[in-house]
Amino acid sequence: MPHEANANLLQWLAKETPEDVIEPDLPIVDPHHHLWDLRTYNDDEILREFQHKVYLCEEIANEIKLSGHNVIQTVFAQCGAFYRGSGEEAMKCVGETEFVNGIAAMSRSGRYGESEICAGIFGYADLRAGKDVERVLRAHMEASSNFRGIRSAFPRDLNDKFLEGYSVLGKLGLSFDNYHPDYTRLPTLAKLGQKFPEVTIIINHLGGKIDPNDTLDDQASWRECIDKISKCPNAVMKVGGAQQRVGAWEPPFHCNLRKSPISSEELCNVLYDRYVYVLEAFGSNRCMFESNFPVDKECVSYRTLWNMFKLLAKRAGLSASEKAAIFSRTAQSVYQLNQN
């Protein structure tokens, strides 16, 4: 049964006309979704504003089942969920990995469907601690064999203390996810990648806030920043997240701005130029489609979103091999997932 706390958003999504599933057998790895319970969450103003308040194992499993798409694996994305309520401050973030490891165990029972939910996990650690961050990262790794890396911010000056902490990721074979709405930070991220070519950088959500109504100058600035980070061979791009609200700004297809949800074709038309630009800049072997659920659920249903990605792939003329990469193979490689 759907949680009462999610009722308003689900009622809006129910107004869409269900679409036929495009290529229902195509294997998909969803490399970016969250899990949380925000009903009593008062720590973070951004998280508190999300409309899908309860999103746990049953919710993501039902999302996948009802979508009709062949989602074979998923990766949990850091969001500050279920940190430890006590103990050393630096170690509280390990509670998120402990929680998600339990979700992965629930999924492995088979009671929630055939998809491997949370086959990969990336959490948080404060790299500004320098080499001392190693004990936090090792605690994450001990908490789950599915732990693959972290997501965090980085300082504009890439100071020595942060770089010392960042180097530990390479030592332990962990990846670095990053998202910031300000895409002008991407050239600095490229410098970080060049300093540490052994660390895979995973850029989230097309590199920053994507406004369909951006000026031509803003679009050109974004493309220039994408070009710079794409030249970093150890950087990969998550192609998605352009549907999300950023702070007080809401995309024109957000549930607060539309009476009924957008269709896959219309969404593809609105965002195609941005999506295809990063596809051409990075190539399919360094790109992966992502759901960013339940954040993007405020704009589009899971079925419609993956239909949109499939329409985009067709419109972009991707080959079967390129589609296999961007829908599953890149994510499996980057997050070192089982490929049975």
Side-chain angles (χ1 to χ4, degrees), residues 284 313 316-325:
S284 58
L318 298 189
S319 67
S321 177
E322 289 171 326
K323 284 167 58 178

Side-chain angles (χ1 to χ4, degrees), residues 194-210:
Q194 291 158 5
K195 285 179 180 288
F196 298 92
E198 72 277 13
V199 177
T200 299
I201 289 176
I202 304 156
I203 307 146
N204 297 177
H205 316 333
L206 300 185
K209 173 185 170 186
I210 302 297

Side-chain angles (χ1 to χ4, degrees), residues 61-79:
N62 286 340
E63 201 86 76
I64 292 168
K65 180 180 179 181
L66 295 176
S67 75
H69 292 286
N70 184 24
V71 179
I72 57 175
Q73 292 171 312
T74 79
V75 176
F76 171 84
Q78 172 271 335
C79 58

Side-chain angles (χ1 to χ4, degrees), residues 41-58:
Y41 204 100
N42 298 312
D43 303 60
D44 188 306
E45 182 177 351
I46 295 175
L47 286 179
R48 196 166 59 237
E49 294 302 315
F50 289 129
Q51 296 187 28
H52 205 291
K53 301 298 184 184
V54 181
Y55 206 69
L56 299 171
C57 187
E58 185 174 3

Side-chain angles (χ1 to χ4, degrees), residues 223-245:
R223 289 194 297 269
E224 182 179 348
C225 292
I226 292 296
D227 290 343
K228 288 181 178 179
I229 188 65
S230 69
K231 290 179 173 61
C232 186
N234 51 316
V236 300
M237 175 67 76
K238 282 181 177 172
V239 185
Q243 296 77 224
Q244 70 172 346
R245 173 174 56 83

Side-chain angles (χ1 to χ4, degrees), residues 207-228:
K209 173 185 170 186
I210 302 297
D211 185 347
N213 298 317
D214 268 345
T215 66
L216 293 178
D217 285 345
D218 286 339
Q219 293 179 44
S221 176
W222 172 80
R223 289 194 297 269
E224 182 179 348
C225 292
I226 292 296
D227 290 343
K228 288 181 178 179

Side-chain angles (χ1 to χ4, degrees), residues 57 96-108 118 121 143-144:
C57 187
E96 182 170 59
T97 298
E98 293 170 329
F99 151 65
V100 181
N101 191 57
I103 298 292
M106 293 173 70
S107 175
R108 286 194 296 270
C118 304
I121 299 168
S144 178

